């Protein structure tokens, strides 16, 4: 589903999109990392994860052709290449843009990691190439976190492929993150342990089987197509339960639409999830303010009692500071 | 993986295993060539006993010893234990210059000298103090040996301040408990071996990967019903066993159940070691009055029903008195609310405290207000592995958890979008996983109750 | 977030206007701050696109890099930036006053007072948002290891003379910005967010335009804060360009793709054409085309930075309307010490700050920041009743009326006054027996200890507390006048200390113990190498 055009059609255009400068640079960097038959990339894998193995410069290196028709065909080709590579003991194999299939909520999703490397010992490593810099060995933690979660999905998908082989090869839980070094376009790499992200994603995928149940619960005829009228679309999107939080704004094209709905409903979580922590069962702005003013709410409810004390203290402080009006 | 290691030899002799581990630790400490020895000790594995024994042996070998603990209470406890084992040993208690710097009980010990100045204690076999106090001490000649207690709760910068005082050291601690923290951001040092906000052991091992590492393999505190869960959920790579077997301990009550939720969960916990008193799902403030009242009601009934705890310690059952019961919470205001509720029920002598303050303590029965009960959100604080580990590993007989329904869904709803710092060691399992594991286990001992 | 702040935010939602989150200004503002509004190139690390910078709100300097991937043009930008920032900084560095500092005498090891220079004021840098602070740090890092031709005649791409020095100063400012309560380098979004509560999340408050829309919406009569903020975030003109451009340094992708990329392409073409010119006349003509292309890019940079520039100054105006908090000046003095010490390091010819802190430096920095955090929290509460209200709600302070004072004395050979003061309060502090509490007495903390609740019941909830005052009553047997609260006085005690205690002294870096990697040895004395440079001229 193209959430970006859906958002535009709903009248809540998002701020998403990629600068062509970033795009060009990202592509140039990935090409540079994979240049010369992946020599540099394999060197980074060897240095970062498998120093005990024979250096790729001195070993046999395979670069299987993965082209095929359609995602299913490419996924099948990838599985075959992985099997062959795992059998080819002592060699390094670089799979450039393999295709992996992962069942999500009953239907196959196709995933395309930047690269997968098969080590001489037959184990597999996911490689993620990103264009944000590693400066003095550290990188933006939010971006590394996103890359780790992405890589964890690839690891899970690879494990499904591995499970069909006998003996099942090891899928390494440390992935290799390749980024530009400092202020240059020279690649550098860091191993990232994705066990946590893998465990969480695995549990979430298991739970996503319930998405079908959500789909079943939707009214018949719900359909998201940007060609529909804004009202029809809004009605369709409304039918899907969504929990808006400000974090959505940087992650989802529909966030501004969800925010507008959430604000209309007066949800306090518009101000951030943690806001609810001390409000107990109160979830709307008006309910909270009414409780704070003493117009509603059970005074024995600690949340209500705390709100009234907070409102009183705030009013007292503002009055002390010089007649600024606070709570009325 | 833990299943394999745990399903090991049929004839597991906990006493022998623990003795073997202790002997190896003492050997490395007294006769090893490395400057440091690290000992991981799961809950109730006899860490203090080990520290006291090592201290006595080092003293007997004529090696001047300094002991570093993290809090004054820990220091005083060690002094008392040392004096109990060897009343003739000349011991120094270095203390701060604040009012009431040490436990008054130390004043009754003849061979314990107390001073705020290290120079006054020169020449004594063993000198003990907190890391904070040691940091102000200057010496010309370093101590031959040190013991650093609760080393996993000590921050790296705190070790940096005292490491110049000793030549070699034994580091002892529990890796599963609450990590040290900083009150300001320290991201800029993440990934550095000496990140000042990381634990002392993390830094020590990053710089000295060859140091011998031991672990105490047996928990003498946790009953057989608890060791498996706690070991699996919080110590997957360093599993431990219980020193006692199923049936070695029992908890019985003279007064029969009245059929209420609290009584039913008490009986479930007495039989199984665990009980979950589940209240209806609801978003609540931290001091959820229903949950607080439920905790208080459980405690009141625990005391009213005249419990008797039978264990390997004595052939006769010991009465379950107020001092053998504790309540654990995540927040101070929750502890205050539970205390008030207990006072309302006429209960005054039961310890009620936060996880931070319950570290290192031991009771027969604990009642825990689940950190995520009724919460609309799950923050890193509430998900911290160590917090749940402390709360679920303080008991010798049974642990009763009071919780709102819906925590499983809350965990699922909470997307794990943690940032990742390059080069840092991943602490595994994380709180999210551990919480799920504990919940799944508790679900088998669930008593639903609508107060 | 404290419930008081939450309440303020909800009121902002309800009224459509930001609500006060502070009653005084908790940060020092210079009379003449240097405002810096930088833009960066998407996808590149440390490749600036342009900036507005200066101290005159009506006449900012416009800096632009017509081709950000060209090393020489980037150097030209940095050199120009150095020519604006360094004279501003140096003017403050040159004006000093005498001050006293306690130092450890290296020979006797005793603490002695020495007279030193302290800069009478310090240079203050203001950027639009937190991302701007990060960018200052990044620029500092990208410049301080550069070599000039004078330093190293062999260096392949020498940096302009003052660029490494600017890198050192920006690094210092970026690092100081991590100290809680410091004001050398400020982000306007942080400042405004500290003093006002909007009806949106703190995440959305990072957008300077949206934040100001809640606090002081301009134009759009009658629009609520939410509406005005949404306009600032999303409204676009007919060309698809944001009406309120992001405060940077990142630019809007639509700007990059629709306006900037074509303009840069025209510039590149004009430059190629100029290089290929065959005679003087042709060259003149083509130079004209190149200048026009460059002017176009400068105009684009100005069009994206000027709204932010104006917004920064508007934010500063709003902040100046608040009276400065009583302790802000004291924290600014700490900033002046920090500024002075960096000046001294530069003057002494010390090398640039290393890429990574050593173990001792890292630990010292962490200790300082934790101490400053504690100091800031205490001082803000003492300076501002609204902040104190939050601490009272959290059980960390209490205010009330003195209802009884009973004189009592300590049981020592020379009895000292230890009066018992009974306070009636509606607050619910977390007090245990003998817990220490503090109140401000003539700007200094006076200590008391909690004795118990006044009634027979031991629950302090009933609101009458007995305290024993333990210090600041003078040396005599009778307390000095005014040192003990009297019946009817309104008092406010905190459970937190007002002056954080200093930590223990850490070893010198040369004495780093074996647990932390041991002494640095020879490696530490070798100056840090310059960054490896890309072979290509362009990134």
């Amino acid at each position: 589903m193209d959430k970006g055009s859906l958002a535009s059609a709903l009248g809540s255009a998002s701020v998403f999109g990629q600068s062509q400068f970033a795009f060009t640079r990202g592509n140039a960097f990935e090409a540079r990392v994979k240049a010369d038959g992946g020599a540099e990339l394999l060197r980074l894998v060897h240095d970062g994860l498998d120093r005990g193995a024979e250096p790729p410069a001195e070993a046999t290196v395979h670069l299987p052709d993965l082209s095929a028709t359609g995602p299913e065909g490419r996924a099948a080709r990838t599985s075959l290449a992985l099997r062959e590579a795992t059998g080819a003991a002592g060699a390094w194999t670089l799979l450039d843009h393999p295709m992996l299939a992962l069942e999500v909520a009953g239907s196959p999703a196709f995933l395309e990691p930047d690269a997968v490397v098969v080590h001489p010992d037959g184990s597999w490593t996911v490689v993620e190439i990103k264009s944000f810099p590693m400066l003095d060995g550290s990188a933006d933690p939010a971006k590394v976190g996103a890359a780790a979660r992405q890589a964890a999905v690839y690891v899970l998908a690879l494990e499904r492929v591995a499970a069909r082989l006998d003996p099942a090869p090891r899928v390494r839980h440390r992935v290799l993150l390749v980024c530009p070094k400092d202020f240059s376009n020279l690649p550098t790499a860091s191993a990232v342990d994705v066990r946590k992200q893998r465990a969480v994603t695995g549990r979430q995928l298991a739970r996503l089987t319930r998405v079908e149940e959500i789909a079943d619960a939707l009214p018949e005829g719900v359909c998201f197509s940007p060609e529909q009228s804004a009202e029809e679309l809004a009605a369709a999107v409304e039918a899907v339960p969504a929990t808006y939080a400000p974090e959505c704004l940087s992650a989802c094209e529909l966030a501004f639409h969800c925010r507008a709905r959430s604000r209309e409903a007066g949800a306090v979580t518009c101000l951030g999830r943690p806001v609810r922590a001390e409000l107990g069962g109160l979830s709307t702005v008006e309910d909270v303010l009414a409780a704070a003013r003493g117009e509603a709410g059970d005074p024995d409810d600690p949340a209500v009692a705390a709100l009234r004390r907070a409102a009183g203290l705030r009013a007292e402080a503002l009055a002390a500071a010089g007649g600024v009006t606070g709570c009325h | 993986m833990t299943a394999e290691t745990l399903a090991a030899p049929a004839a597991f002799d906990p006493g022998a295993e623990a003795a073997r581990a202790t002997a190896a630790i003492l050997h490395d400490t007294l006769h090893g060539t490395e400057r440091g020895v690290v000992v991981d000790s799961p809950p109730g594995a006899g860490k203090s006993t080990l520290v006291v024994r090592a201290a006595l042996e080092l003293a007997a070998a004529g090696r001047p010893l300094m002991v570093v603990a993290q809090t004054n209470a820990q220091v005083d406890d060690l002094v008392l234990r040392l004096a109990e084992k060897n009343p003739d040993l000349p011991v120094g208690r270095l203390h701060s210059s604040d009012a009431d710097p040490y436990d008054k009980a130390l004043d009754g010990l003849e061979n314990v000298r107390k001073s705020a100045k290290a120079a006054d204690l020169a020449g004594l076999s063993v000198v003990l103090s907190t890391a904070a106090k040691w940091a102000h001490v200057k010496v010309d000649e370093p101590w031959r040996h040190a013991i650093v207690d609760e080393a996993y709760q000590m921050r790296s910068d705190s070790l940096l301040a005292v490491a110049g005082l000793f030549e070699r050291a034994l580091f002892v601690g529990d890796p599963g408990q609450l990590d040290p923290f900083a009150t300001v951001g320290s991201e800029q040092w993440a990934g550095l071996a000496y990140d000042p906000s990381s634990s002392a052991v993390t830094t020590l091992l990053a710089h000295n990967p060859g140091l011998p590492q031991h672990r105490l393999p047996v928990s003498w505190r946790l009953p057989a019903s608890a060791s498996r869960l706690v070991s699996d959920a919080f110590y997957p790579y360093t599993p431990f066993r219980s020193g006692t077997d199923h049936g070695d301990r029992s908890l019985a009550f003279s007064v029969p159940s009245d059929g209420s939720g609290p009584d039913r969960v008490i009986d479930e916990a007495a039989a199984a070691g665990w009980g979950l008193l589940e209240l209806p799902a609801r978003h609540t403030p931290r001091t959820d009055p229903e949950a607080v009242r439920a905790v208080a009601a459980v405690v009141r009934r625990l005391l009213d029903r005249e419990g008797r705890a039978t264990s390997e310690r004595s052939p006769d059952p010991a009465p379950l008195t107020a001092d053998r019961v504790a309540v654990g919470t995540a927040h101070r205001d929750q502890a205050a609310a539970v205390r008030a509720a207990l006072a309302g029920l006429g209960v005054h002598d039961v310890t009620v405290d936060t996880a931070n303050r319950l570290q290192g303590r031991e009771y027969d029965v604990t009642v825990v207000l689940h950190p995520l009960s009724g919460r609309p959100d799950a923050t890193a604080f509430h998900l911290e592995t160590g917090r749940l580990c402390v709360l679920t590993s303080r008991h010798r007989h049974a642990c009763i958890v009071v919780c709102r329904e819906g925590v499983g869904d809350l965990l699922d709803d909470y997307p794990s979008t943690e940032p990742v710092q390059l080069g840092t060691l991943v602490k595994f399992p994380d709180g999210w996983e551990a919480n799920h594991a504990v919940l799944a286990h508790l679900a088998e001992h669930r008593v639903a109750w609508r107060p | 977030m404290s419930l008081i702040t939450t309440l303020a935010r909800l009121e902002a939602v309800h009224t459509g206007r930001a609500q006060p989150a502070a009653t005084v200004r908790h940060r020092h503002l210079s009379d003449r701050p240097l405002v810096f509004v930088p833009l960066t190139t998407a996808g590149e690390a440390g490749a600036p696109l342009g900036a507005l910078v200066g101290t005159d709100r009506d006449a900012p300097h416009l800096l632009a890099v017509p081709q950000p991937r060209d090393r020489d043009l980037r150097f030209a930008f940095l050199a120009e930036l150095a020519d604006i920032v360094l004279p501003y900084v140096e003017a403050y560095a040159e004006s000093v006053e005498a001050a006293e500092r306690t130092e450890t005498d290296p020979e006797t090891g005793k603490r002695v007072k020495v007279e030193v220079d302290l800069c009478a004021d310090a240079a203050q840098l203001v950027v639009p948002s937190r991302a701007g602070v990060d960018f200052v740090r990044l620029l500092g890092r990208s410049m301080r290891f550069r070599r000039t031709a004078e330093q190293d005649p062999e260096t392949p791409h020498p940096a302009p003379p003052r660029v490494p020095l600017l890198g050192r100063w920006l690094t210092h400012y970026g690092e100081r910005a991590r100290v809680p309560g410091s004001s050398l380098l400020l982000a306007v979004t942080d400042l405004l967010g500290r003093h006002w509560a909007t009806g949106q999340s703190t995440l959305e408050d990072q957008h300077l335009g949206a934040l100001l829309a809640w606090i002081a919406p301009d134009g759009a009569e009658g629009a609520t804060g939410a509406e005005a903020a949404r306009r600032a975030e999303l409204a676009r003109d007919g060309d698809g360009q944001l009406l309120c451009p992001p405060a940077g340094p990142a630019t809007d992708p639509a700007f990059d793709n629709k306006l900037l990329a074509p303009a840069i392409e025209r510039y590149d073409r004009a430059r190629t054409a100029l290089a290929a010119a065959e005679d003087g006349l042709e060259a003149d003509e083509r130079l004209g085309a190149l200048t026009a292309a460059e002017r176009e890019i400068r105009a684009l940079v100005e069009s994206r930075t000027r709204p932010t520039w104006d917004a920064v100054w508007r934010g500063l105006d709003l902040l100046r309307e608040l009276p400065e908090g009583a302790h802000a000046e004291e924290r600014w003095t700490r900033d002046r010490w920090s500024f002075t010490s960096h000046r001294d390091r530069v003057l002494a010819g010390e090398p640039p700050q290393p890429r990574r802190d050593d173990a001792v430096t890292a630990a010292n920095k962490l200790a300082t920041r934790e101490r400053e955090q504690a100091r800031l929290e205490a001082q803000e509460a003492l300076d501002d009743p609204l902040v104190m209200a939050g601490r009272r709600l959290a059980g960390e302070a209490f205010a009330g009326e003195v209802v009884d004072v009973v004189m009592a004395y300590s049981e020592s050979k020379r009895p000292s006054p230890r009066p018992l003061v009974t306070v009636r309060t509606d607050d619910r502090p977390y007090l245990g027996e003998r817990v220490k509490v503090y109140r401000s007495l003539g700007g200094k903390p006076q200590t008391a200890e909690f004795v118990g609740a006044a009634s027979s019941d031991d629950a302090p909830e009933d609101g009458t507390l007995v305290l024993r005052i333990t210090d600041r009553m003078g040396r005599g047997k009778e307390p000095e006048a005014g040192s003990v609260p009297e019946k009817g006085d309104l008092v406010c005690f905190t459970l937190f200390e007002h002056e954080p205690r200093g930590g223990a002294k850490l070893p010198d870096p040369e004495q780093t113990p074996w647990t932390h990697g041991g002494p640095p040895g020879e490696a530490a004395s070798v100056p840090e190498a310059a960054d490896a440079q890309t072979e290509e001229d362009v990134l």
Side-chain angles (χ1 to χ4, degrees), chain B residues 35-36 98 100 135-136 155-157 159-161 163 167 182-184 188-189 192 194 196 203-204 207-208 332-333, chain C residues 175 178 180 356-360 362-363 365-366 369-370 373 430 434 501 503-504 506-507 513-517:
Chain B
R35 298 189 71 171
D98 290 346
D100 296 325
H136 290 277
R155 239 166 52 176
S156 171
D157 55 354
L159 176 62
L160 175 64
E167 285 172 359
T183 57
V184 295
Q188 79 185 103
W189 304 294
L192 292 180
Y194 45 73
T203 292
L204 175 76
H207 285 290
N208 304 274
R332 284 205 316 185
D333 54 358
Chain C
E175 202 58 8
R178 288 176 157 142
R356 295 174 182 200
D357 293 326
D358 58 67
V360 174
K365 280 184 179 174
L366 181 60
R369 290 178 200 170
E370 289 194 306
Q373 178 70 35
Y430 288 117
R434 303 203 66 177
R501 298 190 202 189
L506 292 175
W514 61 277
T515 53
H516 287 63

Side-chain angles (χ1 to χ4, degrees), chain C residues 193-416:
Chain C
R194 172 67 195 84
H195 297 87
W196 280 275
T198 66
Q200 60 186 6
S201 68
T202 49
L203 218 62
E204 289 152 304
D205 281 351
Q206 284 299 301
H207 189 296
L208 179 56
L211 180 56
L212 275 171
W214 279 98
I215 300 170
D218 71 328
E221 276 298 310
T224 65
E227 286 158 1
R230 188 176 185 282
R231 200 179 113 84
E233 288 169 330
L234 293 175
R236 289 177 185 270
D237 64 13
D239 273 348
Q241 297 302 318
L242 287 167
L243 294 179
C244 172
T251 49
D252 177 29
F255 165 74
D256 283 11
N257 297 342
K258 275 199 179 162
L259 301 179
L260 185 61
I264 290 180
E265 217 174 292
R266 279 193 288 279
Y267 174 83
D268 284 345
R269 270 204 307 275
R271 203 149 70 142
T272 316
L274 175 62
E278 290 182 348
D279 58 51
L281 194 67
E282 203 175 45
D284 279 355
E285 210 173 276
R286 291 182 180 182
L287 181 63
L290 182 66
T291 313
E294 187 178 339
R295 208 180 299 133
E296 193 194 342
I297 291 171
R298 288 175 65 85
L300 281 176
V301 168
E302 183 169 25
S303 73
R304 297 307 107 169
T305 45
R306 188 66 198 229
T308 305
W309 171 271
D310 292 335
V312 168
W313 287 100
R314 218 146 51 81
L316 292 176
D317 288 344
L318 290 166
L319 287 156
R320 284 189 207 281
E321 285 171 20
L322 290 170
E324 187 171 283
H327 284 94
E329 188 65 34
E330 190 217 302
R331 292 194 299 275
W332 177 247
T333 303
R334 289 172 197 281
D335 281 324
R336 287 164 52 207
W337 279 111
S338 165
F339 180 84
T340 308
S341 68
H342 185 66
R343 177 199 77 142
D344 295 345
R345 280 193 292 274
V346 170
L347 287 176
E350 286 187 26
Q353 303 93 329
R355 284 180 172 79
R356 295 174 182 200
D357 293 326
D358 58 67
V360 174
T361 306
N364 273 325
K365 280 184 179 174
L366 181 60
T368 303
R369 290 178 200 170
E370 289 194 306
R371 198 163 57 240
E372 291 308 312
Q373 178 70 35
R375 187 194 312 279
L376 179 67
E377 285 175 5
Q379 293 186 339
E380 287 196 347
L382 294 171
D383 290 354
D384 186 343
L386 196 49
V387 179
M388 187 62 91
R391 306 298 293 265
R392 287 164 62 190
L393 184 67
E396 297 164 342
F398 59 94
E401 189 187 336
V402 176
V403 291
D404 195 16
V405 181
V406 176
M407 210 45 220
Y409 295 89
S410 61
E411 295 170 18
S412 53
K413 283 176 205 144
R414 260 193 61 219
S416 315

Side-chain angles (χ1 to χ4, degrees), chain A residues 63-158:
Chain A
L63 290 160
D65 175 19
L66 299 177
S67 54
T69 319
E72 290 89 352
R74 287 181 59 198
R77 186 70 200 85
T78 297
S79 299
L80 197 66
L82 280 167
R83 197 176 74 189
E84 282 168 7
T86 309
W92 289 89
T93 305
L94 169 62
L95 282 76
D96 185 2
H97 283 286
M99 181 66 79
L100 301 170
L102 183 67
E103 195 150 297
V104 179
S107 52
F110 291 96
L111 313 165
E112 192 180 347
D114 290 331
V116 169
V117 169
V118 180
H119 296 240
D121 67 1
S123 62
W124 304 352
T125 290
V126 171
V127 178
E128 267 299 294
I129 302 172
K130 296 288 178 195
S131 58
F132 56 81
M134 277 184 201
L135 186 54
D136 299 334
S138 60
D140 183 336
K143 289 178 178 161
V144 178
R149 286 190 294 280
Q150 193 184 345
V153 181
Y154 302 148
V155 167
L156 279 170
L158 277 177

Side-chain angles (χ1 to χ4, degrees), chain B residues 176-251:
Chain B
Q177 303 220 350
L178 288 159
D179 290 330
F181 63 94
T183 57
V184 295
S186 56
E187 294 79 12
Q188 79 185 103
W189 304 294
L192 292 180
Y194 45 73
D195 174 353
S197 68
S198 63
S199 99
V201 181
T202 305
T203 292
L204 175 76
L205 289 176
H207 285 290
N208 304 274
L211 296 185
Q213 297 176 52
H214 297 272
R215 68 190 161 88
L216 296 174
V218 175
S219 172
W220 300 105
R221 173 194 308 150
L222 290 175
S225 58
S227 60
R228 176 72 178 269
L229 172 64
V230 173
S231 174
D232 281 3
F234 302 107
Y235 303 84
Y237 299 122
T238 50
F240 62 87
R241 299 264 303 240
S242 166
T244 52
D245 210 340
H246 293 280
D248 286 354
R249 293 183 189 168
S250 70
L251 187 60

